[in-house]
Amino acid sequence: MTNPFNHTIHLYPISTNGKLFPWAQFRLPQSIHPLSYDLTLTPNLDDMTFTGRTVINMSVHHNTNCIVLHGANLNITKATFKVGLEGVSSDVTVLEYKPRQQIAVKVSDDLKTGQYCVLTLHYSANLSHTYDGFYNSSYTDKDGKKRVLAATQFEPLSARKAFPCFDEPAFKATFQIQIIRKPNYMTLSNMPKAKSTTLTSGLVQDEFEKTSVKMSTYLVAFIVADFTPISKNVSKTLVGLVSVYSVPEKKEHTDYALSTASKLLEFYNNFFEIDYPLKKLDLVAIPDFLAGAMENWGLITFRETSLLVGKQSSPLEKQVVASVIAHELAHQWFGNLVTMSWWNDLWLNEGFATYMQYMSLQTVFPKLDIGNLFLAVRFRALDKDALNSSHAVSTEVNTPEQVEEMFDSVSYEKGASILLMLNACLLGEQQFRKGIIQYLDQFNESNTDTDGLWNSLTQVSMYLSSCPQVEVSTQHLNVSEMMNSWTSQKGFPLVTVSRKGDQVTLTQEHFLLTSDNTTHTSRWVTLPHTQTCCRQVFTLKTKSGTLKLPESVKWLKLNYRNTGFYIVHYGDEGWDALTAALHSNVSVLTHEDRASLIHNIFALSRLGRVSFHQVLSLLNYMSNETETSPVTEALLQLSNIYRLLDKRQEHGLVSRMKDYILDHFRSLMDKQTWEEEESVSKQELRSALLEMACSLNEENCTQKAKALFKEHVKSNGTIRIPGDLQRVVFTVAAQSDEDWDTLLHMYAHATYDAEKRKMLQGLASTQNARRLVWILKAGLNGDLIQTQELPLVISRVCNGFTGYLFVWDFIQENWDQLIEKFPVGSFAIQTIIKSATSQFSTQAHLDQVQGFFSGLKERGSQMRSVQEALETIRLNRRWMDQNLSTLRKWL
């Protein structure tokens, strides 16, 4: 089949408003490439509109008689075109095909390969009222006045809503931006401001320097607001100034972000051996922002909760902010400097940024103890990837909805997990670092795909293995050959261990919770990292392999510290041996390995390979557990089962499960204090234990939470609730009608966003049906509760028995409004669907969910998250059918 992008364009016509549109595909043709954009924008924040002029300088790569690019919701009022920089401009007609957000200009004479041309477009548009494109936002200042602003969010497909452009990652260009504003506003963009000119109209035109790098359209950004900065010069870098911007009232909350960003920027400059290439770096807290943050080059935008830290913030709150900053700064190299060619390889951006955020924080801020969080997100990535509805890390993307759906835990956390595995089990720190430096250097300011990464790492590993003075773990390693299996197919291996005498046999198969009755040919090059009396890496390239182990060795643990992305089944004897070892001495395994065993045995129970009795036998050691990650993983798994039983109204089992959890964790719960705690790990442990205890109405826990809330209210906030305990305290308070009203008043007047968000989670946990209906509607309307928080509200409401059915009704009744506010396939929609359906376990609910989504057609029926929801309900039903009798017997 010939490639339609590689020859003179003869295209299938599509009718648009009675005219022929000269292009028939989702992806743009490759005949024209932009070189530079000159953008002038005039936003009017009184009537929420803007006008614009875009001048695009282009080069012709293949003979053609038309130019096809993107434009969405833009009213183009004038268009001119010329060939050559000195050519004469002439008016041209712009055609539009709205279903694909494409516009086209047909020219009278064919454009020839190698020519340059210029397209100038004048247009007007409304500022977006959702969270993408060039959108309006607002906040209330300290005097109670409403302040308005305009900001951008272009990733993945929304630059086209602000200016006509070639809105695909591979069409990199330079940008010159001018913004015309009222004098009482300020503006920001990717580059430093070159000059400001007062116009005869009284408006001010801010002109920014031309970008010093070529960049993809989704990284362009600009803001019109009244923000206030704090700044710092960072030494030994090309960047002159790092600044953090916020609304004026929250300037005092920006110090931590500035200090953290400055340290991380210096770390990344040294680690990558490539300096950040722009003259400045701004980090901006936006009052109304859907994503956690966005890595726009030189102008990173954040939710306020992801950037602002109060003077008395807990270490856990600082960990959240530092983690987001580390992720977005890593993107300045992975994603911005080197960009995936197309959205199918989004993991090259997000997987790397996720991996680097954890690696950098472990190095630069060890006290933030980020390791537990990284371990937990790897477990959750395994859970998602165990589903048949999952997808390969690098997978085909052919629609806007599929682009949106790539922003999930497979691209982020699985991507990071296989990089960790590559580093820990295969290459080692030195080779891995040299390989990614080679990758960044080779594809600097350009685009690549997954093969480009593997080839760079292979080149370095082969070079180092040929150097006699360099020690490497594996001679002549072909990284591409070994790692392609991890990115080109969905899922991961189940490695099963069997022992006979001194011989250990390892076999691998696809870990798949739902069998689709097909023959699976999936095969991975797996690297079981064994732990007994000593440690070794064993490469499993085929379905099975063997290794020798002295018969005197009583137990064997694979996947040391859970650095590999796979699950291990040890067989009945192997699990018994490991269980006995933990009962004898908890410290015989690292806390990561203990958490890994807990995660794996629950997953194997869900698969049907171990009985739930074996799960409970392993958990009997928990009374001796002192570390955070095994406890939090066990609590999460037990909580999931408890909620399923609760929603099925298995009242007797619910009561016994409650007693089981409290009995097994009581000694740990009793050790927790309600005072300030400085250790991040201890905060994580304490908040998990106390939230579980209070959710089960353990009297000592609820009484202390109520008392702390009353002290806080009575003191008018001067007696603080420790940051890691705020959510549990607010949740307990919200169960009382009087305290719920008090909490709502506190929420309406709170200024510190991290605390305000925990108040909202408390409010949404009420079991009062009328209040639940109110809070869902308030989140949708977006007045008192920002619509950006609706996915969080829905998730929280679904945890309770009263709320989960309300949410399902709410989603069905308001689906069209939801997909107006959040794009079909977006992470927000994924979260909403998962929250609303993941606790269903009956055929009746399965039929309801299937019936509703199948009727949506183009409004969401084909989403991967819908298939995931249906699969999860079937698995819940299967688990209940297989384990209810066991639970009744063993609890």
Side-chain angles (χ1 to χ4, degrees), residues 95-109:
L95 303 176
E96 182 176 14
Y97 186 60
K98 288 185 178 181
R100 282 200 295 271
Q101 300 181 334
Q102 292 174 353
I103 60 175
V105 171
K106 296 193 76 172
V107 295
S108 53
D109 298 323

Side-chain angles (χ1 to χ4, degrees), residues 646-649 767 769 772-773 776 794 797-813 835-837 839-842 844-845 848-849:
D646 190 35
K647 302 307 191 297
R648 279 280 284 258
Q649 301 182 55
Q767 297 305 293
L772 288 174
V773 171
L776 289 167
I794 286 174
V797 170
C798 285
N799 285 345
F801 180 80
T802 308
Y804 87 114
L805 292 179
F806 278 117
V807 167
W808 175 234
D809 288 342
F810 173 81
I811 288 171
Q812 293 175 88
E813 290 168 12
S835 298
T837 61
Q839 295 173 79
F840 289 159
S841 62
T842 66
H845 279 138
Q848 282 183 30
V849 174

Side-chain angles (χ1 to χ4, degrees), residues 161-172:
K161 296 179 180 179
F163 59 96
C165 57
F166 295 79
D167 200 11
E168 294 180 4
F171 288 112
K172 289 192 171 187

Side-chain angles (χ1 to χ4, degrees), residues 358-372:
Y358 293 112
M359 191 279 284
S360 64
L361 291 183
Q362 284 173 328
T363 305
V364 182
F365 298 101
K367 287 186 178 179
L368 290 179
D369 206 358
I370 200 72
N372 290 333

